[in-house]
Amino acid sequence: MTEEGDENRVRFLPKQFTEGHTGYMTSTTVLLAEDDRAVRESLQRALSLDGYQVIACKDGAEALTYLAENTVDVIMLDVMMPTLDGLTACRRLRARGDKTPIMMVTARSETSDRVSGLDAGADDYLPKPFVLDELLARIRALARRFRVDDTNEKSLMLGDLVLDLAGRRCTRGSTSIELSKTEFDLLELLIINAGVVLDHSTIYERIWGYDFGPDSKNLAVYIGYLRRKTEEGGAGRLIHTVRGIGYVARI
C-alpha cells in the first residue's frame, strides 16, 4: 500500500503512457486490485491505452466478489491493501480452484516477500517502482501461459519449438526432444516469459523453491543442458544470457 504523496506512487508510469498511446491488444482482460486511487487510476489508464480491458478494484475483497461471478485473463494484486490484502486474496482464489494467472505487485522487494507471494499461489511478483514496458511484457507472458489452442490442449510455442504442457512433450520442427522434469519446467518458465529477462533468484525460487545464491552453478548447468538439446543439429539459439542478470527466451 502506498501513502498519499509517496514519491514512488506513479514513478512506474513512463511519460508517453500518460500523454497518449495507441494499444494493440483488444481481448485480454486484467483485474487490477490496488487501494491507492492515484496508482489505480494511472495503471488503469495506461493499460487501457495499450488495449487491455481493465477491471479496477480498490481492495482484495472487491476483487474476490467480482471474480466469484466473472472471469478475467490476468489478475494483478497489490500486496498491502486494507480490508483484504493481496496475499490473502491470492490464497482464497487458489483455495476455491481459480487458476487465473496472478501477479503480485508491491513496494516490498525482499526475497522473503517474493517467496511469500509465490507460496500463496501467485505466478509472478513485481516490485515497485517498475517500468511499464516490463509490466506489459509480464502480463503478456502470463496471458500466454494459460491460453488454450484450437485443440483445447495447452501448448507453448517459441519459433519452431513447441512445448506440449498436457503431454509434457517437446519438439523442435520435426525433432522430438527428451527433457527431464527440471529441464521441462525450466524451459516452460522461460517460454512463458518469452522476451522478459528472468533473474537468477526468480528462476531458482520458481523451479527449485529456494534461491541458492550467486555462487551456485546449478542453473547454469541446466541452461547448458537445454541449449545442447534445443540447438542440436545447428538450430538457432532460443535461450540467451543477459550478463549479470539472468536469462531470456527469444527468437
Side-chain angles (χ1 to χ4, degrees):
M1 180 172 68
T2 56
E3 299 296 335
E4 193 70 28
D6 188 337
E7 65 176 2
N8 288 338
R9 191 174 61 189
V10 292
R11 278 175 54 194
F12 49 79
L13 295 180
K15 184 177 181 182
Q16 68 266 28
F17 284 93
T18 60
E19 293 184 346
H21 176 67
T22 301
Y24 55 89
M25 296 187 67
T26 58
S27 60
T28 300
T29 301
V30 177
L31 182 139
L32 166 66
E34 164 65 63
D35 66 301
D36 187 300
R37 185 166 61 90
V39 174
R40 186 173 63 249
E41 291 178 354
S42 295
L43 267 177
Q44 183 176 12
R45 173 174 170 77
L47 291 170
S48 296
L49 287 171
D50 208 66
Y52 292 92
Q53 307 298 313
V54 183
I55 308 300
C57 302
K58 66 179 182 296
D59 55 42
E62 189 174 295
L64 288 182
T65 298
Y66 180 87
L67 292 169
E69 298 182 358
N70 302 275
T71 60
V72 298
D73 297 294
V74 177
I75 299 169
M76 290 178 56
L77 299 174
D78 186 62
V79 171
M80 302 296 290
M81 294 185 290
T83 308
L84 190 69
D85 64 86
L87 290 176
T88 302
C90 182
R91 292 190 188 99
R92 292 186 182 179
L93 285 168
R94 294 308 188 221
R96 68 192 194 190
D98 193 320
K99 297 181 180 180
T100 307
I102 296 175
M103 178 188 296
M104 306 300 300
V105 182
T106 178
R108 302 170 65 179
S109 59
E110 295 296 325
T111 298
S112 59
D113 296 320
R114 295 201 302 272
V115 172
S116 295
L118 297 174
D119 284 346
D123 299 279
D124 202 357
Y125 189 103
L126 188 62
K128 300 176 183 176
F130 50 81
V131 177
L132 184 60
D133 284 346
E134 180 181 6
L135 172 64
L136 295 174
R138 291 191 182 209
I139 290 176
R140 290 194 295 271
L142 287 174
R144 280 199 303 269
R145 179 176 183 178
F146 290 83
R147 187 164 295 145
V148 180
D149 64 16
D150 293 337
T151 63
N152 291 322
E153 293 183 355
K154 293 180 180 178
S155 62
L156 299 172
M157 296 183 64
L158 183 65
D160 60 348
L161 187 142
V162 178
L163 208 58
D164 174 5
L165 303 184
R168 291 188 70 83
R169 294 186 296 268
C170 178
T171 57
R172 186 161 192 189
S174 59
T175 303
S176 178
I177 301 173
E178 293 295 326
L179 299 176
S180 69
K181 179 184 183 302
T182 299
E183 290 168 349
F184 189 97
D185 292 343
L186 177 56
L187 184 58
E188 177 186 354
L189 177 65
L190 290 167
I191 295 179
I192 285 169
N193 294 279
V196 178
V197 179
L198 299 180
D199 61 35
H200 298 86
S201 295
T202 296
I203 297 175
Y204 273 128
E205 290 165 6
R206 294 291 297 274
I207 302 302
W208 285 276
Y210 180 77
D211 184 357
F212 292 94
D215 296 327
S216 174
K217 304 299 182 184
N218 202 35
L219 176 55
V221 168
Y222 275 92
I223 291 294
Y225 293 158
L226 285 178
R227 282 176 172 164
R228 282 194 293 273
K229 291 183 177 184
T230 59
E231 297 172 16
E232 189 174 357
R237 175 153 294 183
L238 298 176
I239 303 172
H240 303 267
T241 300
V242 180
R243 192 172 299 277
I245 302 177
Y247 300 96
V248 59
R250 60 171 176 250
I251 301 173

